[in-house]
Amino acid sequence: MSSPRLAVVGIHGHGTNHVRTALELTRAGRAELCAVVDPREPDPDHPAHGAGTPWYPTLGDLLSADDAVRPDVVVLCTPIPTHLPLARAAMEAGMDVLLEKPTTASLAELTELVAVTERTGRSCQVGFQTFGSHALPAVSELVARGEIGDVVGFGAVGTWVRDAAYWARAPWAGRRRLDGRDVVDGVVTNPLAHAVATALRIGGVTRAEDVAWVDTDLYRANPIEADDTSSVRVTAADGTRYGFGLTLCAAERTRARVLVLGTAGEIELFYESDRLVLRSDRLTLDKTYGRTSLLEDLLEVRADDDPQRRLLCDVRDTGAFMRVLEAVRTGPDPRPMPDELVTWVGEGDARHPVVSDVADWCEQVARRQQTFSELGAPWTR
């Protein structure tokens, strides 16, 4: 049986990593990178150029090419508003899709995308890489064993730094809408989206109907439309609460963490490195786990005869995260931070804002499942 043919759409920025992964699979004989797609042709130092991979400016150009370069699987790493139309075109052409997060620009678009998968019978894996972490089932097992007692809440803390160059990297960066279309690019829905999706997944909240309510409290220190410092509380259908304290305006970048809080201890998951730390009344554990590539998982599911085998991050399992994105999309515009609480550091493209004590406030949001406003953070007054 011949190796499945892969195409990567959107090959610059993060897309370069997908190209490298596809080339590694090609060298291992597990797949064949047959084409790359981007309006901008790969330059001489791009890995796709060095491999001599055929280039097409649009997905339409690739789909109308001859069968020799027609892919079986398409990786989409493109601007958020293009996710639905490109994924739909690929699946209607008979291809399976690995789609970068966030899934779509609205909950309605997610519903339409799920309908496309059901109509075409194609697979759509979404690029929440943490869903492939072997630490996630380990957390679930520890909770099920009662190692931290009864779970009283979940949280996530993300205190990162993003400079002016980050917000200038693309026309859609930091926008809520662009040219009349939803973009919803902000700390909750893009750079720290993994924190939200992973915490919900650990708690068993994956589908849209698993979420009862979402409270958002959104702010911005940068001169952008979107939020760069936000608190979110999700109340699940079973009443469990999830608190997310997230910022791109910290004094220094720290490792993002998911918290599982219990009556007899807590679990911290440093999801970027798949490190799990358990502290309880009777046990301490610090262990780093492996991770399954979502692209490899998609290829394996394609080749598996078992119809019951599921993707690690099936598009349907991003519904809960999309409820959060929808609350951000439809909520009030982020409020600007008071000037006296923001210190600007650096110059030129490296210039970035630091919000006073923001890391401490984000920690409180995660641990207490309360918003900045409820906690009385100074920028909310």
Side-chain angles (χ1 to χ4, degrees), residues 269-305:
L269 173 62
F270 297 87
Y271 65 78
E272 296 170 89
S273 59
D274 304 308
R275 178 187 170 206
L276 184 158
V277 178
L278 164 69
R279 303 181 189 90
S280 72
D281 294 346
R282 70 177 196 86
L283 180 65
T284 299
L285 173 69
D286 189 333
K287 184 176 179 180
T288 298
Y289 292 79
R291 180 182 291 197
T292 299
S293 157
L294 294 185
L295 179 54
E296 292 184 46
D297 177 66
L298 174 58
L299 297 179
E300 290 172 2
V301 170
R302 278 176 48 87
D304 199 323
D305 293 331

Side-chain angles (χ1 to χ4, degrees), residues 16 37 56 90 107 109 131 173 208 232 252 278 285 301 332 351 361 376:
T16 305
V37 178
Y56 297 85
L107 192 59
E109 286 191 353
F131 283 32
V232 175
E252 61 180 358
L278 164 69
L285 173 69
V301 170
R351 191 167 185 258
W361 290 105

Side-chain angles (χ1 to χ4, degrees), residues 3-345:
S3 299
R5 292 191 294 263
L6 307 179
V8 178
V9 183
I11 63 169
H12 300 288
H14 182 56
T16 305
N17 296 325
H18 285 296
V19 173
R20 291 193 181 102
T21 299
L23 288 172
E24 289 172 4
L25 290 170
T26 299
R27 286 189 289 269
R30 301 181 59 188
E32 175 193 351
L33 179 61
C34 66
V36 295
V37 178
D38 199 287
R40 181 157 55 99
E41 189 173 3
D43 51 45
D45 62 352
H46 194 282
H49 186 279
T53 308
W55 162 76
Y56 297 85
T58 70
L59 180 60
D61 292 320
L62 172 60
L63 296 181
S64 60
D66 60 63
D67 289 344
V69 293
R70 191 173 181 83
D72 302 301
V73 175
V74 172
V75 179
L76 297 175
C77 187
T78 59
I80 300 165
T82 69
H83 285 190
L84 172 61
L86 292 180
R88 178 173 54 209
M91 287 189 284
E92 288 179 345
M95 301 161 192
D96 294 316
V97 172
L98 172 60
L99 176 63
E100 261 302 339
K101 56 80 185 166
T103 317
T104 55
S106 70
L107 192 59
E109 286 191 353
L110 173 70
T111 301
E112 185 174 348
L113 183 58
V114 170
V116 173
T117 67
E118 293 173 348
R119 184 178 74 248
T120 62
R122 307 318 306 177
S123 296
C124 183
Q125 178 107 281
V126 180
F128 284 109
Q129 300 103 316
T130 54
F131 283 32
S133 173
H134 305 166
L136 267 61
V139 172
S140 298
E141 181 181 349
L142 291 170
V143 170
R145 281 172 22 196
E147 294 292 352
I148 60 170
D150 296 327
V151 173
V152 296
F154 295 81
V157 182
T159 54
W160 286 5
V161 177
R162 289 291 185 267
D163 58 20
Y166 175 82
W167 300 112
R169 75 193 189 282
W172 54 268
R175 302 293 296 269
R176 286 171 68 80
R177 292 181 64 81
L178 180 64
D179 298 332
R181 300 188 64 185
D182 289 317
V183 175
V184 204
D185 179 49
V187 63
V188 175
T189 56
N190 199 356
L192 282 161
H194 293 292
V196 178
T198 306
L200 293 172
R201 173 66 175 260
I202 288 173
V205 176
T206 58
R207 304 294 177 102
E209 58 268 25
D210 296 335
V211 175
W213 193 254
V214 181
D215 296 292
T216 63
D217 197 18
L218 313 178
Y219 300 85
R220 59 174 180 82
N222 285 279
I224 58 175
E225 290 181 355
D227 56 310
D228 57 35
T229 300
S230 296
S231 57
V232 175
R233 177 177 54 237
V234 173
T235 304
D238 65 1
T240 304
R241 300 197 311 175
Y242 298 73
F244 305 102
L246 311 171
T247 186
L248 302 177
C249 304
E252 61 180 358
R253 189 194 192 285
T254 63
R255 295 169 296 171
R257 297 172 289 135
V258 169
L259 306 175
V260 187
L261 307 169
T263 55
E266 67 180 42
I267 297 170
E268 281 186 297
L269 173 62
F270 297 87
Y271 65 78
E272 296 170 89
S273 59
D274 304 308
R275 178 187 170 206
L276 184 158
V277 178
L278 164 69
R279 303 181 189 90
S280 72
D281 294 346
R282 70 177 196 86
L283 180 65
T284 299
L285 173 69
D286 189 333
K287 184 176 179 180
T288 298
Y289 292 79
R291 180 182 291 197
T292 299
S293 157
L294 294 185
L295 179 54
E296 292 184 46
D297 177 66
L298 174 58
L299 297 179
E300 290 172 2
V301 170
R302 278 176 48 87
D304 199 323
D305 293 331
D306 183 1
Q308 301 302 314
R309 179 166 178 179
R310 292 177 48 79
L311 294 167
L312 286 171
C313 191
D314 186 278
V315 63
R316 299 162 185 81
D317 292 330
T318 66
F321 170 80
M322 288 300 299
R323 283 288 304 273
V324 176
L325 182 145
E326 187 73 2
V328 172
R329 183 183 76 86
T330 60
D333 288 344
R335 292 161 56 187
M337 290 280 189
D339 291 342
E340 64 271 18
L341 296 178
V342 180
T343 301
W344 285 87
V345 178

